[in-house]
Amino acid sequence: MARKLEESTGHKNEGMESGGCGFMMRSEIAHDEHPLSLGKTSVWNQFFQDTEIIEQIDRDVKRTHPDMHFFCGDTSLAKSNQEALRHILIIFAKLNPGIRYVQGMNEVLAPLFYVFRNDPDQNNAAYAEADAFFCFVELLSGFRDNFCQKLDNSVVGIRSTIAKLSELLKKHDGELWRHLEITTKVNPQFYAFRWITLLLTQEFNFADSLHIWDTLLSDPEGPQETLLRVCCAMLILVRRRLLAGDFTSNLKLLQNYPSTNISHLLYVANKLHGASAG
């Protein structure tokens, strides 16, 4: 486009000297450089797609943890932190055209950036944006298939992951599994989709989420299996209420998970690991 601009400027100068209008002829504009072109290689089509994604990122970043002054408000700190989140998400979207940006990625990024930015060593905190970007890419490398809509029905997609959670519950608590999925017909996708894709960041307060993430990210086997065990433990901890409930009450409970003792939750999840290994 810069080349065309330079050429059109040159044509305009020549046209002015010769008395012409200086406008480019329609036939001189390549198809991929036409503003209305929908071609994959069209610079204008790419521009409009990028603009749409950036607008979505801006909206989501502004909604990130509105109860925390670190992320939200008119202070210079909040604005600086929002700008850092924005930079990371835009660059990730550009470097990963197969996934780009999916709503909710800001919630996964927020804990990482928060921890790095609050490093007591100011020399480390100064590089929070770069460090958070690196760890965000690494974290999503293990979960990226959950964000790819084209893989939803594949063996690595989100539906397959939710099915693994269902099988895990069936193995450890068959009665609860039958009541949820057979009797009350509560499809795991109705609640587990958000649990898994956002790594439980929306089910607990921020401090509790960090506590859970310490366990997820410290597991040498990787966070995916640990996450499923924690989700299964969440179901088991409220089993009495679930067994007494119907479709409506159970769905409401699981979509608005009650506050709980996180240490006990992680203990139950670890017990499931021991039972599976045994």
Side-chain angles (χ1 to χ4, degrees):
M1 296 308 295
R3 175 177 56 80
K4 286 295 184 183
L5 181 61
E6 291 175 358
E7 291 178 359
S8 65
T9 303
H11 289 322
K12 183 176 180 180
N13 291 337
E14 292 175 4
M16 290 177 64
E17 293 174 1
S18 60
C21 65
F23 292 115
M24 291 180 63
M25 297 293 294
R26 186 182 185 89
S27 59
E28 295 180 33
I29 302 177
H31 175 71
D32 286 341
E33 294 178 357
H34 194 284
L36 299 181
S37 172
L38 297 178
K40 292 183 178 180
T41 58
S42 168
V43 291
W44 281 103
N45 186 34
Q46 186 65 55
F47 169 78
F48 291 130
Q49 287 184 12
D50 290 347
T51 300
E52 184 178 354
I53 289 175
I54 291 172
E55 289 176 351
Q56 180 66 62
I57 290 174
D58 285 340
R59 287 193 296 269
D60 289 351
V61 164
K62 291 176 181 177
R63 291 195 291 253
T64 303
H65 295 288
D67 57 324
M68 295 178 63
H69 295 300
F70 180 86
F71 291 110
C72 193
D74 295 326
T75 65
S76 59
L77 173 66
K79 290 181 178 180
S80 172
N81 293 336
Q82 286 185 355
E83 193 65 15
L85 296 181
R86 182 177 181 272
H87 290 162
I88 294 171
L89 293 171
I90 290 174
I91 293 173
F92 179 85
K94 291 294 291 181
L95 294 177
N96 295 271
I99 301 177
R100 300 174 75 81
Y101 173 77
V102 178
Q103 191 172 19
M105 284 183 175
N106 58 305
E107 303 293 350
V108 177
L109 171 61
L112 296 172
F113 180 75
Y114 178 87
V115 170
F116 282 118
R117 188 66 181 83
N118 285 284
D119 193 308
D121 187 333
Q122 290 302 310
N123 291 327
N124 293 332
Y127 296 99
E129 185 175 328
D131 291 339
F133 173 77
F134 176 83
C135 289
F136 181 67
V137 172
E138 287 295 305
L139 179 60
L140 256 62
S141 67
F143 290 96
R144 60 185 298 161
D145 293 340
N146 292 336
F147 289 97
C148 187
Q149 190 174 9
K150 294 180 180 179
L151 297 177
D152 279 356
N153 296 316
S154 71
V155 294
V156 295
I158 182 61
R159 290 181 183 174
S160 175
T161 304
I162 292 175
K164 291 179 181 178
L165 172 60
S166 177
E167 288 299 316
L168 193 63
L169 178 63
K170 184 178 181 180
K171 175 181 179 180
H172 293 288
D173 195 331
E175 181 185 8
L176 180 56
W177 175 84
R178 281 190 297 273
H179 183 73
L180 281 177
E181 300 197 25
I182 306 300
T183 305
T184 59
K185 300 187 185 304
V186 177
N187 191 318
Q189 292 187 35
F190 296 159
Y191 59 88
F193 182 88
R194 187 176 71 183
W195 290 9
I196 294 171
T197 56
L198 301 187
L199 307 185
L200 299 175
T201 56
Q202 298 299 288
E203 315 314 315
F204 304 97
N205 64 46
F206 194 74
D208 287 344
S209 295
L210 292 181
H211 190 174
I212 292 172
W213 275 39
D214 278 342
T215 298
L216 296 182
L217 300 181
S218 63
D219 192 324
E221 298 178 4
Q224 181 82 282
E225 297 303 319
T226 306
L227 175 63
L228 293 181
R229 287 193 294 271
V230 173
C231 291
C232 187
M234 288 169 64
L235 295 169
I236 292 174
L237 287 183
V238 293
R239 75 183 305 273
R240 292 179 61 182
R241 295 176 62 178
L242 291 172
L243 289 173
D246 57 10
F247 173 85
T248 303
S249 62
N250 285 346
L251 187 60
K252 183 178 180 180
L253 175 64
L254 296 176
Q255 289 184 340
N256 299 275
Y257 197 81
S259 60
T260 189
N261 184 308
I262 300 301
S263 295
H264 181 59
L265 171 63
L266 296 174
Y267 171 78
V268 174
N270 189 54
K271 292 280 284 184
L272 295 179
H273 187 208
S276 297

